Amino acid sequence: MRKFRVGAIGTGGIFRGPHVTGWKALPEVEVVAVCDANSDAAKAAAELTGAQHVFTDYRDLVKLDLDAVDICTPNRVHTPAVLAALETGKHVLCEKPLAVTTREVRRMGELADRKKLVLMTAQHQRFTSSALAIKEWAAAGHLGEVYHARVRAMRRAWLPARPSFIDHSLAGGGPCMDIGVHALDACLWIMGFPKPVRVTGVAKVNFAKGHKIPGMWGEWDRKLFSVEDFAAGFVHFDNGATMTLEAAWIGHQVENEDMSFQLFGMEGGVKWPSGEFASVVGGTFTHGTLTYPRRIERPHSEEIQAFYEAVMNHKPSPVPWTETIKVIAILEAVYESQKRGREIVLKI
Ligand SMILES: NC(=O)c1ccc[n+]([C@@H]2O[C@H](COP(=O)([O-])OP(=O)(O)OC[C@H]3O[C@@H](n4cnc5c(N)ncnc54)[C@H](O)[C@@H]3O)[C@@H](O)[C@H]2O)c1
């Protein structure tokens, strides 16, 4: 029987780790082609996956007979690679952020829609036990209408030292696009993706140009560093809800990483990822911790399985571009607000 044929573009850390594990967990799937601009990375991925086709140019990979393409390049290479894959009729799973501008997200999304192809952003935090437990609890009415959210993706010194993260021409953004995108996407997903309408933000470099805080992932090139190391934003939604957003790779805080959100609803409040909730039932204060019946060890594998099942069963994308565009609109507006020194009115 013919297996589901996957090609991978960008075979660095995230592909050779969690993505290979995810694809290998699906017996009906084979990774038949791999591509990386760095031939050693491509060869290493071929050894791991058994892929018989090895390329350094993705335009060669997309010419093959494939069902889907998995894109794990640096952020700024996502858009051209996604467009090339969609143009040649492949379903696409693409790492976060799908793109660093709403213009690019829309271009990819509309092309996928026209061609009736699944385009999924790899937001694996939605597939964690804690996010799923909160989603179910909120869907059962325990959260009620959300009037405020706090989103944090704050690290003490885990600054990814590689050029693909710190060089603006490759990354298109710093912690906002790297880790802020995770907590923000998961939070908006629980909120039901209200439409963001106004954003104020700052995006700065506080420590990454100097040597005051040592990096836990080693030294980075201070001259090449051209993204923010800290950002904060304030968001208004069309339903009146508000949100604060903070993202940093480096700064003085006790926690190595605080990747979290807190939601304040009219029926209850909840924290992710702890699952702690609070409300008042019949006049009595109540609180506790939500748990999910299934312990999910590998959320990336769940995400890959959800993509595969959507394609096979002709279902909508599990993380559609129409949701991703709201995430990217907020992050893009944080940068724009820093540049212009004023609040940004969104038009998406
Ligand atoms: N979801 C997650 O948990 C998670 C974690 C880490 C990274 N990511 C995302 O995955 C992507 C890749 O991150 P990474 O950590 O694997 O980075 P990485 O630097 O380890 O790997 C990126 C690879 O892409 C290759 N590449 C660069 N330009 C290319 C091109 N034009 N064609 C083909 N290959 C090209 C590089 O040679 C490199 O091997 C980023 O978008 C990042 O945001 C997601």
Side-chain angles (χ1 to χ4, degrees), residues 159 205-213 220 222 229 250-252:
L159 188 155
V205 181
N206 291 322
F207 297 102
K209 288 284 191 189
H211 293 265
K212 197 168 180 175
I213 302 180
W220 60 94
R222 265 67 178 176
D229 67 11
I250 192 162
H252 295 300

Side-chain angles (χ1 to χ4, degrees), residues 78-98:
H78 290 174
T79 300
V82 168
L83 290 173
L86 292 172
E87 287 289 2
T88 51
K90 278 78 177 177
H91 300 283
V92 174
L93 173 68
C94 180
E95 261 305 339
K96 41 53 63 174
L98 180 58

Side-chain angles (χ1 to χ4, degrees), residues 193-335:
F193 275 97
K195 191 173 162 190
V197 288
R198 289 185 287 134
V199 175
T200 314
V202 292
K204 299 180 184 175
V205 181
N206 291 322
F207 297 102
K209 288 284 191 189
H211 293 265
K212 197 168 180 175
I213 302 180
M216 299 299 283
W217 278 325
E219 282 297 310
W220 60 94
D221 183 339
R222 265 67 178 176
K223 283 207 189 82
L224 193 65
F225 194 94
S226 43
V227 293
E228 84 283 3
D229 67 11
F230 166 81
F234 192 86
V235 186
H236 295 264
F237 295 89
D238 66 346
N239 61 0
T242 51
M243 170 188 280
T244 59
L245 169 69
E246 295 163 316
W249 279 332
I250 192 162
H252 295 300
Q253 64 177 43
V254 173
E255 305 88 349
N256 278 334
E257 181 177 86
D258 176 4
M259 172 79 82
S260 63
F261 62 75
Q262 183 168 5
L263 287 166
F264 298 87
M266 293 305 291
E267 301 300 325
V270 68
K271 285 182 177 177
W272 175 84
S274 72
E276 291 164 279
F277 69 92
S279 73
V280 174
V281 179
T284 304
F285 288 105
T286 170
H287 56 267
T289 304
L290 301 172
T291 51
Y292 194 62
R294 190 162 63 91
R295 194 176 148 74
I296 295 175
E297 302 282 354
R298 295 192 176 87
H300 292 94
S301 295
E302 301 280 320
E303 153 201 286
I304 286 169
Q305 185 176 346
F307 170 75
Y308 167 70
E309 285 174 358
V311 172
M312 293 305 286
N313 301 322
H314 308 287
K315 291 231 180 94
S317 169
V319 183
W321 72 271
T322 45
E323 293 177 356
T324 294
I325 200 166
K326 293 179 180 169
V327 177
I328 301 304
I330 291 171
L331 300 176
E332 190 181 29
V334 167
Y335 294 147

